[in-house]
Amino acid sequence: MRLAAFFVAAIALLLAVVSFVLYFSFAANISSNVEGNFASEQAQNAFVARTVHHLRSEILLVDGAILVLVSGAGFLLARRTLRPIQRNLEAQKRFISNASHDLRTPLAVMKANLEIAQRYGAAADDRDIAVSSSLEEVDRMGRMVEDMLTLSRIDARQEELQFSVVDLSELLARIVEKMRPLAAGDAVGLDVVAAADLNARCDADHLQRALMNVVRNAIQHSPSGSTVEIGAARVRDRVEVAIHDRGPGIDGDDLPHIFEPYYRGDETRSPGRGNSGLGLAITWWIVEQHDGTIDVSSAPGVGTTVMVSLPLAGPS
Ligand SMILES: Nc1ncnc2c1ncn2[C@@H]1O[C@H](COP(=O)(O)OP(=O)(O)O)[C@@H](O)[C@H]1O
Ligand SMILES: [Mg+2]
């Protein structure tokens, strides 16, 4: 609001100066140009007065119209400029409250574990449980902090990719092996069907991370006993990777926002403990850096399919 008002005031001042200059120079022009064409001096003066009056009202009218237009445009412009900043601020606020909550929980669990180990440490069994549970929490926190760092590097344009030709079917096989323990822990099956020789120019580490975020989401939202299906096929000069789960799907209200940093659907708070809401934002950036696209289709109650399309490496 203040920005818009300032803008309008500056324009008004400029208009006033221009109008005064125009008014006085025209008025002087009129009185010097009409000389001699009138029967009497009185008639001439009356004509000049009328014309100058006319001129004044016209200038005022045009000024008024310009001011109204400029105020409207200024207000709209200010709102448009500020909206992304405001949204960013809200997202950061949301993140700070989520992150402090989510970092406090693993810390509390670890503290309890350490106390158990200290008190009953003589029994090897208790100690082992306490240690492995703490290690899990450390992994969770590590992933959150890693995501936060990556996103700030992306924002600062410091995250760099190194491209080489990579076989995506091998990359997918690697991802699935890495995700098996998580899937097994949730009693979720993992199926991959990938065509051979899907060579793409990509940064293998980053692309692996991008796809792993999607696969992790699929596993975390899958009901136990169901299977996450991953398929990769060549479609013309691109490769399409589809990741399908039979989870609860994504709410229509959430769908437009899931790629925003820090955004998390409400119902994921429990399955996604240790999730920062940054996964898909990072995935989006990585896919974009590969000239790829990512689409999500989801039907509540039926499941979610995430489709990533990447250009294949041309014959070199
Ligand atoms: N396969 C899926 N099924 C249901 N909801 C999903 C799925 N993938 C993503 N989402 C929704 O998108 C949100 C953002 O995902 P993401 O960026 O990975 O954040 P996080 O997993 O840390 O919550 C999730 O909080 C969840 O609401
Ligand atoms: Mg996630």
Side-chain angles (χ1 to χ4, degrees):
M1 248 345 237
R2 209 152 14 145
L3 195 73
F6 186 73
F7 179 63
V8 171
I11 298 281
L13 195 72
L14 202 74
L15 264 181
V17 172
V18 172
S19 304
F20 267 112
V21 170
L22 275 181
Y23 175 70
F24 285 115
S25 79
F26 272 124
N29 244 325
I30 289 167
S31 29
S32 64
N33 278 347
V34 294
E35 251 166 65
N37 293 338
F38 285 88
S40 70
E41 198 169 317
Q42 219 168 21
Q44 179 182 325
N45 283 346
F47 174 79
V48 169
R50 232 180 13 252
T51 315
V52 168
H53 182 76
H54 218 80
L55 180 69
R56 197 165 53 204
S57 356
E58 262 171 15
I59 287 183
L60 280 178
L61 199 74
V62 170
D63 279 2
I66 291 180
L67 266 187
V68 167
L69 273 179
V70 162
S71 324
F75 182 70
L76 284 182
L77 219 71
R79 214 172 54 174
R80 253 183 90 161
T81 321
L82 293 179
R83 199 181 301 146
I85 299 175
Q86 192 170 11
R87 219 183 291 149
N88 231 320
L89 226 77
E90 276 162 16
Q92 300 227 1
K93 257 193 229 158
R94 188 166 57 224
F95 170 70
I96 287 172
S97 88
N98 284 350
S100 41
H101 177 266
D102 288 345
L103 289 173
R104 203 171 52 183
T105 312
L107 281 174
V109 175
M110 281 193 288
K111 183 159 187 271
N113 283 334
L114 289 172
E115 280 166 1
I116 290 172
Q118 188 182 42
R119 230 174 274 167
Y120 311 106
D125 272 0
D126 289 342
R127 201 179 50 222
D128 286 351
I129 293 172
V131 168
S132 63
S133 154
S134 295
L135 279 175
E136 257 174 51
E137 297 300 326
V138 170
D139 279 348
R140 273 207 188 102
M141 283 177 67
R143 215 175 48 238
M144 276 188 78
V145 173
E146 187 62 39
D147 280 352
M148 287 153 76
L149 277 174
T150 303
L151 200 81
S152 71
R153 276 201 305 266
I154 290 174
D155 280 344
R157 300 182 197 284
Q158 284 169 347
E159 184 77 353
E160 280 175 11
L161 288 90
Q162 250 135 34
F163 288 86
S164 60
V165 175
V166 175
D167 184 352
L168 289 184
S169 35
E170 279 172 22
L171 188 83
L172 282 175
R174 237 183 1 254
I175 291 173
V176 167
E177 280 332 296
K178 278 191 184 279
M179 298 311 282
R180 274 218 194 282
L182 178 73
D186 290 355
V188 169
L190 263 185
D191 247 16
V192 204
V193 181
D197 287 333
L198 295 171
N199 287 328
R201 259 187 72 70
C202 58
D203 177 318
D205 288 343
H206 277 88
L207 196 62
Q208 171 169 326
R209 190 157 166 205
L211 294 172
M212 228 149 89
N213 285 343
V214 177
V215 176
R216 185 181 298 112
N217 283 347
I219 295 171
Q220 285 177 335
H221 291 92
S222 285
S224 53
S226 70
T227 298
V228 169
E229 285 157 10
I230 303 169
R234 174 193 292 262
V235 179
R236 285 183 294 276
D237 55 350
R238 298 178 79 83
V239 53
E240 298 203 331
V241 183
I243 295 116
H244 176 70
D245 68 66
R246 294 192 173 71
I250 303 172
D251 203 83
D253 292 339
D254 289 334
L255 206 53
H257 302 290
I258 58 173
F259 290 104
E260 289 169 16
Y262 314 122
Y263 190 89
R264 303 196 301 186
D266 262 349
E267 98 290 356
T268 55
R269 280 188 151 267
S270 34
R273 196 159 70 75
N275 283 348
S276 53
L278 295 178
L280 287 181
I282 291 171
T283 296
W284 176 278
W285 182 83
I286 294 173
V287 169
E288 201 180 38
Q289 295 297 306
H290 285 80
D291 292 326
T293 58
I294 180 164
D295 287 300
V296 182
S297 56
S298 187
V302 180
T304 302
T305 303
V306 178
M307 187 77 100
V308 178
S309 163
L310 298 162
L312 282 168
S316 49

